[in-house]
């Protein structure tokens, strides 16, 4: 008996149908190109080191797009593939298991299926083997018409897992060109790969001249690989412009999950990151990913949006712009409309951890102490969180309810 209204009310909003939201359908009938960048975290956006921008192409794009600064990853143990699932369903991933292990034979209500109703051709592109993360089961479950995998991209210019982003975008552009010729409009989910851990790049792809203390560190390698990912993306964007596709499309970008975490992150990295950021590298920095949406020609849709959001909110936000009201349940919401948000987290922090507009509450388990971060200052809030009646009790119960509804809905689709 869950309704969209109940979901929104639990987050503290009074629900209105999407067709009544501002900007509904402003990008109706445009192509949709969504780029998921491997390991891209928000803290590098707009930043420089020794006068060199880490992501100059993304930074330039921010002048003509909406930059959602306060968006967080919500993946479970399915990592990159959970990010794909979140983007295309606006449902919570399962957490302890990769969601893609559970979707075989399912027909999920999804972005490709909703766009199919509007005569879009829906494709997904990634240079790795399609069997990795069971994507050969995920993509039919999501209703994509076609996928492009390692068989299409080959092994040219391999870095780490597969061909470089430069080659990947070049080949993808060729495919997109053909799709554009054949179909009225399309949705392409484009998943980069080069900036994957451990971020070791060949010398010809290390474009930053880093200070000596960064050389050979995880942090230094990360900055180099993200800089390369941005360079390859810039070439892709230029290609889209040269072919006249840019103005006919909505272009979105987000990071799938953090790159700097876990055992590879040494004390020296914490020091370098604190120096780079001017503050302690915290869980907020780790989970904060960029979400950027461009609707070329719509000057009103530019600038910074600081509504708190997550990967679960990306699909509804884009559907609003495209003028598509979902007919099935979704657990995120249109970030341009609602001000309140309550975002569940699982797996990377204990279940029942959550983010809302002011707070990142991390529940306690054997690995984590309970702690609370102030979203504005990135500082820990000293509170009575060990008291069972602490100030965040209600939100924790609400988040467990949302996760339970999402899981039950997912099961009901079998
Ligand atoms: C694998 C690639 C990376 O195909 O998408 O996945 P990850 O290890 O980041 O989950």
């Amino acid at each position: 008996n869950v309704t969209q209204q109940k979901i929104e009310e639990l987050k503290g909003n009074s629900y209105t149908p999407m067709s009544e939201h501002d900007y509904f359908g402003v990008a109706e009938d445009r192509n949709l190109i969504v780029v998921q960048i491997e390991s891209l975290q928000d803290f590098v956006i707009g930043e420089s080191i020794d006068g060199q921008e880490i992501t100059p192409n993304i930074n330039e794009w921010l002048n003509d797009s909406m930059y959602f600064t306060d968006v967080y990853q919500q993946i479970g143990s399915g990592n990159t593939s959970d990010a794909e699932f979140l983007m295309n369903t606006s449902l919570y991933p399962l957490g302890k298991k990769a969601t893609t292990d559970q979707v075989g034979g399912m027909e999920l209500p999804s972005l490709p299926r909703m766009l199919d109703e509007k005569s879009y051709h829906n494709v997904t592109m990634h240079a790795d083997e399609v069997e990795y993360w069971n994507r050969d089961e995920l993509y039919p479950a999501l209703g994509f018409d076609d996928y492009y995998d390692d068989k299409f991209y080959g092994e040219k210019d391999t870095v780490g897992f597969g061909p470089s982003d430069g080659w990947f975008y070049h080949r993808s552009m060729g495919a997109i060109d053909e799709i554009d010729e054949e179909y009225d409009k399309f949705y392409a989910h484009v998943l980069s790969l080069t900036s994957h851990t451990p971020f070791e790049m060949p010398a010809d792809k290390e474009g930053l001249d880093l200070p000596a203390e960064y050389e050979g560190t995880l942090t230094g390698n990360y900055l180099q690989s993200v800089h390369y990912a941005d360079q390859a993306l810039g070439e892709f964007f230029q290609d889209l412009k040269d072919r006249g596709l840019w103005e006919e499309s909505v272009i979105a970008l987000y990071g799938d999950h953090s790159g700097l975490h876990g055992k590879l992150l040494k004390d020296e990295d914490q020091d370098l990151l604190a120096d780079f950021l001017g503050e302690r590298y915290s869980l907020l920095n780790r989970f904060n990913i960029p979400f950027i949406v461009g609707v070329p020609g719509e000057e009103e849709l530019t600038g910074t949006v600081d509504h708190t959001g997550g990967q679960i909110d990306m699909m509804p936000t884009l559907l609003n712009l495209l003028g598509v009201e979902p007919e099935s349940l979704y657990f995120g919401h249109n970030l341009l409309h609602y001000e309140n948000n309550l975002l569940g987290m699982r797996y990377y922090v204990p279940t029942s951890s959550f983010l809302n507009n002011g707070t990142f509450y991390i529940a306690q388990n054997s690995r984590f102490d309970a702690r609370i971060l102030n979203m504005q200052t990135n500082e820990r809030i000293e509170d009575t969180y060990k008291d069972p009646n602490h100030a965040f009790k209600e939100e924790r119960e609400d988040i467990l309810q949302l996760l339970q509804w999402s899981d039950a809905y997912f099961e009901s689709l079998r």
Side-chain angles (χ1 to χ4, degrees), residues 1 61 70 82 110 114 142 185 188 232 321 339 357:
N1 295 334
W61 183 36
D70 289 27
D82 273 352
S110 66
M114 291 176 216
L142 291 174
K185 49 200 165 170
L321 298 172
E339 301 234 334
N357 291 9

Side-chain angles (χ1 to χ4, degrees), residues 4-16:
Q4 210 59 53
Q5 185 158 351
K6 282 190 182 172
I7 292 171
E8 220 47 74
E9 281 171 4
L10 204 59
K11 295 184 210 171
N13 298 309
S14 64
Y15 168 77
T16 48

Side-chain angles (χ1 to χ4, degrees), residues 308-321:
T308 300
Q311 288 166 321
I312 210 154
D313 300 313
M314 294 174 180
M315 184 186 96
T317 303
L318 293 170
L319 283 175
N320 174 58
L321 298 172

Side-chain angles (χ1 to χ4, degrees), residues 73-372:
Q73 73 176 58
Q74 292 174 289
I75 55 161
S77 58
N79 277 352
T80 297
S81 63
D82 273 352
E84 295 176 67
F85 174 82
L86 272 152
M87 169 68 225
N88 286 295
T89 62
S90 189
L91 299 178
Y92 278 99
L94 298 178
K96 289 209 177 85
K97 300 175 209 152
T99 315
T100 51
D101 286 347
Q102 306 293 315
V103 296
M106 290 177 83
E107 269 194 30
L108 296 164
S110 66
L111 181 58
R113 290 212 158 84
M114 291 176 216
L115 294 180
D116 183 63
E117 295 275 304
K118 304 276 173 193
S119 307
Y120 279 72
H121 184 69
N122 301 289
V123 302
T124 180
M125 304 173 147
H126 190 46
D128 199 5
E129 301 163 2
V130 76
E131 291 80 16
Y132 198 98
W133 286 127
N134 290 330
R135 288 172 168 123
D136 50 340
E137 295 189 335
L138 176 68
Y139 295 154
L142 291 174
F144 279 107
D145 296 308
D146 208 352
Y147 65 76
Y148 296 75
D149 67 346
D150 65 333
K151 291 184 272 312
F152 177 74
Y153 294 98
E155 292 175 0
K156 198 171 164 170
D157 198 28
T158 292
V159 186
F161 270 66
S164 67
D165 285 357
W167 178 249
F168 166 71
Y169 288 125
H170 173 72
R171 284 287 282 160
S172 300
M173 193 65 244
I176 288 174
D177 247 350
E178 285 179 17
I179 292 165
D180 182 50
E181 291 265 304
E182 196 171 337
Y183 299 93
D184 223 19
K185 49 200 165 170
F186 64 87
Y187 160 40
H189 197 197
V190 179
L191 319 167
S192 83
L193 185 56
T194 302
S195 44
H196 193 278
T197 186
F199 320 117
E200 281 159 11
M201 303 292 291
D204 67 339
K205 291 185 171 58
E206 293 201 324
L208 293 171
D209 189 10
L210 290 177
E213 63 271 27
Y214 284 81
E215 293 295 344
T217 65
L218 185 74
T219 302
N221 291 345
Y222 179 74
L223 296 178
Q224 291 286 14
S225 77
V226 165
H227 183 70
Y228 171 74
D230 173 84
Q231 181 197 316
L233 179 78
E235 287 161 18
F236 179 52
F237 279 4
Q238 191 55 51
D239 261 352
L240 289 169
K241 287 174 188 164
D242 293 345
R243 286 158 206 248
L245 281 165
W246 187 259
E247 296 286 330
E248 296 172 0
S249 306
V250 172
I251 305 102
L253 175 149
Y254 64 96
D256 58 353
H257 53 69
S258 61
L260 293 177
H261 57 245
K263 291 201 182 91
L264 290 175
L265 198 69
K266 308 239 166 53
D267 287 348
E268 64 177 358
D269 293 298
Q270 294 288 1
D271 293 343
L272 290 171
L273 285 166
D275 192 47
F276 184 84
L277 290 163
E279 62 181 4
R280 176 181 60 88
Y281 177 70
S282 78
L283 281 174
L284 266 186
N285 300 121
R286 178 183 152 185
F287 288 128
N288 188 194
I289 50 167
F291 178 43
I292 305 168
V293 180
V295 189
E298 291 291 332
E299 273 172 33
E300 234 188 320
L301 294 175
T302 55
T304 298
V305 184
D306 65 359
H307 295 172
T308 300
Q311 288 166 321
I312 210 154
D313 300 313
M314 294 174 180
M315 184 186 96
T317 303
L318 293 170
L319 283 175
N320 174 58
L321 298 172
L322 296 170
V324 181
E325 174 101 48
E327 284 168 16
S328 44
L329 282 185
Y330 53 98
F331 284 76
H333 66 210
N334 172 12
L335 282 174
L336 287 173
H337 182 77
Y338 294 108
E339 301 234 334
N340 297 314
N341 212 343
L342 187 59
L343 296 161
M345 309 290 279
R346 344 169 97 144
Y347 186 72
Y348 284 93
V349 283
T351 289
S352 85
S353 300
F354 67 86
L355 286 153
N356 68 14
N357 291 9
T359 314
F360 183 11
Y361 180 91
I362 300 128
Q364 188 166 19
N365 73 3
S366 52
R367 270 193 320 133
F368 276 93
D369 287 338
R371 61 185 111 137
I372 305 170

